[in-house]
Amino acid sequence: MAQSGVGSRVAAYRAQLRARGLRPIQIWVPDTRAPGFAAEARRQSRLVDSDGEFTEVMGLLEDVSVFDEDEPPAPHASR
């Protein structure tokens, strides 16, 4: 079966990516349109928010995260 113009461009692009050492993967993520998704997200958010260590953990995550590659992460106040 011959490939269409779009199909051959996609195949060529994928071949270039593979030549650069990359490989395709498929990931499954929650369907935000599914019934009950919003209620479950709220429930989980409330659980996290009620955890006494939330602020400490978020501070640690912010410390080790780089939001702007030109700026080093800010030191955490409690260390």
Side-chain angles (χ1 to χ4, degrees), residues 36-51:
F37 176 86
E40 179 62 14
R42 277 191 297 275
R43 184 189 73 78
Q44 291 182 24
S45 294
R46 287 184 184 120
L47 284 172
V48 170
D49 190 43
S50 67
D51 187 335

mmCIF file of all heavy atoms in Angstrom, residues 36-51:
data_model
loop_
_atom_site.group_PDB
_atom_site.id
_atom_site.type_symbol
_atom_site.label_atom_id
_atom_site.label_comp_id
_atom_site.label_asym_id
_atom_site.label_seq_id
_atom_site.Cartn_x
_atom_site.Cartn_y
_atom_site.Cartn_z
ATOM 1 N N GLY A 36 -17.105 12.580 36.870
ATOM 2 C CA GLY A 36 -16.497 12.324 38.167
ATOM 3 C C GLY A 36 -15.050 12.781 38.285
ATOM 4 O O GLY A 36 -14.496 12.784 39.385
ATOM 5 N N PHE A 37 -14.436 13.166 37.164
ATOM 6 C CA PHE A 37 -13.042 13.581 37.231
ATOM 7 C C PHE A 37 -12.865 14.800 38.146
ATOM 8 O O PHE A 37 -12.002 14.810 39.019
ATOM 9 C CB PHE A 37 -12.468 13.899 35.844
ATOM 10 C CG PHE A 37 -11.058 14.422 35.906
ATOM 11 C CD1 PHE A 37 -9.990 13.549 35.932
ATOM 12 C CD2 PHE A 37 -10.798 15.783 35.986
ATOM 13 C CE1 PHE A 37 -8.689 14.008 36.026
ATOM 14 C CE2 PHE A 37 -9.508 16.255 36.085
ATOM 15 C CZ PHE A 37 -8.442 15.375 36.106
ATOM 16 N N ALA A 38 -13.664 15.825 37.937
ATOM 17 C CA ALA A 38 -13.522 17.058 38.722
ATOM 18 C C ALA A 38 -13.729 16.792 40.213
ATOM 19 O O ALA A 38 -12.969 17.294 41.051
ATOM 20 C CB ALA A 38 -14.499 18.124 38.227
ATOM 21 N N ALA A 39 -14.719 15.985 40.553
ATOM 22 C CA ALA A 39 -14.984 15.681 41.963
ATOM 23 C C ALA A 39 -13.811 14.921 42.573
ATOM 24 O O ALA A 39 -13.403 15.201 43.713
ATOM 25 C CB ALA A 39 -16.270 14.867 42.097
ATOM 26 N N GLU A 40 -13.248 13.973 41.842
ATOM 27 C CA GLU A 40 -12.103 13.214 42.354
ATOM 28 C C GLU A 40 -10.870 14.105 42.487
ATOM 29 O O GLU A 40 -10.122 13.992 43.452
ATOM 30 C CB GLU A 40 -11.813 12.016 41.450
ATOM 31 C CG GLU A 40 -10.627 11.183 41.888
ATOM 32 C CD GLU A 40 -10.778 10.536 43.265
ATOM 33 O OE1 GLU A 40 -11.896 10.497 43.824
ATOM 34 O OE2 GLU A 40 -9.761 10.051 43.793
ATOM 35 N N ALA A 41 -10.670 15.017 41.548
ATOM 36 C CA ALA A 41 -9.539 15.948 41.633
ATOM 37 C C ALA A 41 -9.685 16.844 42.861
ATOM 38 O O ALA A 41 -8.711 17.091 43.586
ATOM 39 C CB ALA A 41 -9.445 16.793 40.365
ATOM 40 N N ARG A 42 -10.899 17.325 43.117
ATOM 41 C CA ARG A 42 -11.142 18.136 44.322
ATOM 42 C C ARG A 42 -10.886 17.333 45.580
ATOM 43 O O ARG A 42 -10.260 17.812 46.535
ATOM 44 C CB ARG A 42 -12.576 18.673 44.318
ATOM 45 C CG ARG A 42 -12.767 19.937 43.512
ATOM 46 C CD ARG A 42 -14.131 20.572 43.753
ATOM 47 N NE ARG A 42 -15.227 19.705 43.332
ATOM 48 C CZ ARG A 42 -15.694 19.624 42.102
ATOM 49 N NH1 ARG A 42 -15.172 20.358 41.146
ATOM 50 N NH2 ARG A 42 -16.698 18.814 41.806
ATOM 51 N N ARG A 43 -11.358 16.085 45.610
ATOM 52 C CA ARG A 43 -11.164 15.224 46.788
ATOM 53 C C ARG A 43 -9.674 15.041 47.067
ATOM 54 O O ARG A 43 -9.215 15.209 48.197
ATOM 55 C CB ARG A 43 -11.822 13.864 46.561
ATOM 56 C CG ARG A 43 -11.759 12.930 47.777
ATOM 57 C CD ARG A 43 -12.222 11.520 47.434
ATOM 58 N NE ARG A 43 -11.246 10.800 46.638
ATOM 59 C CZ ARG A 43 -10.139 10.233 47.131
ATOM 60 N NH1 ARG A 43 -9.877 10.304 48.419
ATOM 61 N NH2 ARG A 43 -9.307 9.581 46.332
ATOM 62 N N GLN A 44 -8.901 14.735 46.031
ATOM 63 C CA GLN A 44 -7.471 14.531 46.220
ATOM 64 C C GLN A 44 -6.758 15.825 46.611
ATOM 65 O O GLN A 44 -5.841 15.812 47.434
ATOM 66 C CB GLN A 44 -6.852 13.931 44.953
ATOM 67 C CG GLN A 44 -7.300 12.505 44.713
ATOM 68 C CD GLN A 44 -6.648 11.903 43.491
ATOM 69 O OE1 GLN A 44 -5.588 12.322 43.055
ATOM 70 N NE2 GLN A 44 -7.301 10.894 42.923
ATOM 71 N N SER A 45 -7.187 16.940 46.039
ATOM 72 C CA SER A 45 -6.588 18.233 46.395
ATOM 73 C C SER A 45 -6.830 18.566 47.856
ATOM 74 O O SER A 45 -5.938 19.072 48.545
ATOM 75 C CB SER A 45 -7.164 19.346 45.518
ATOM 76 O OG SER A 45 -6.784 19.159 44.191
ATOM 77 N N ARG A 46 -8.025 18.275 48.333
ATOM 78 C CA ARG A 46 -8.333 18.529 49.749
ATOM 79 C C ARG A 46 -7.494 17.648 50.666
ATOM 80 O O ARG A 46 -7.052 18.087 51.721
ATOM 81 C CB ARG A 46 -9.820 18.320 50.006
ATOM 82 C CG ARG A 46 -10.665 19.433 49.421
ATOM 83 C CD ARG A 46 -12.144 19.278 49.761
ATOM 84 N NE ARG A 46 -12.905 20.315 49.103
ATOM 85 C CZ ARG A 46 -13.886 20.090 48.223
ATOM 86 N NH1 ARG A 46 -14.265 18.860 47.947
ATOM 87 N NH2 ARG A 46 -14.515 21.096 47.665
ATOM 88 N N LEU A 47 -7.265 16.405 50.262
ATOM 89 C CA LEU A 47 -6.411 15.509 51.055
ATOM 90 C C LEU A 47 -4.991 16.062 51.160
ATOM 91 O O LEU A 47 -4.388 16.082 52.229
ATOM 92 C CB LEU A 47 -6.371 14.109 50.439
ATOM 93 C CG LEU A 47 -7.583 13.227 50.657
ATOM 94 C CD1 LEU A 47 -7.461 11.950 49.830
ATOM 95 C CD2 LEU A 47 -7.738 12.888 52.134
ATOM 96 N N VAL A 48 -4.469 16.516 50.039
ATOM 97 C CA VAL A 48 -3.116 17.071 50.029
ATOM 98 C C VAL A 48 -3.067 18.342 50.863
ATOM 99 O O VAL A 48 -2.154 18.555 51.656
ATOM 100 C CB VAL A 48 -2.651 17.351 48.578
ATOM 101 C CG1 VAL A 48 -1.361 18.150 48.562
ATOM 102 C CG2 VAL A 48 -2.490 16.047 47.819
ATOM 103 N N ASP A 49 -4.071 19.197 50.699
ATOM 104 C CA ASP A 49 -4.097 20.469 51.417
ATOM 105 C C ASP A 49 -4.208 20.280 52.924
ATOM 106 O O ASP A 49 -3.690 21.070 53.701
ATOM 107 C CB ASP A 49 -5.260 21.321 50.910
ATOM 108 C CG ASP A 49 -5.202 22.740 51.426
ATOM 109 O OD1 ASP A 49 -4.093 23.321 51.434
ATOM 110 O OD2 ASP A 49 -6.258 23.265 51.820
ATOM 111 N N SER A 50 -4.861 19.197 53.356
ATOM 112 C CA SER A 50 -5.038 18.969 54.794
ATOM 113 C C SER A 50 -3.817 18.312 55.426
ATOM 114 O O SER A 50 -3.734 18.194 56.641
ATOM 115 C CB SER A 50 -6.283 18.108 55.047
ATOM 116 O OG SER A 50 -6.088 16.797 54.552
ATOM 117 N N ASP A 51 -2.861 17.898 54.613
ATOM 118 C CA ASP A 51 -1.638 17.264 55.122
ATOM 119 C C ASP A 51 -0.736 18.335 55.725
ATOM 120 O O ASP A 51 -0.397 19.322 55.084
ATOM 121 C CB ASP A 51 -0.920 16.547 53.982
ATOM 122 C CG ASP A 51 0.265 15.725 54.453
ATOM 123 O OD1 ASP A 51 0.831 16.039 55.517
ATOM 124 O OD2 ASP A 51 0.621 14.770 53.756
#
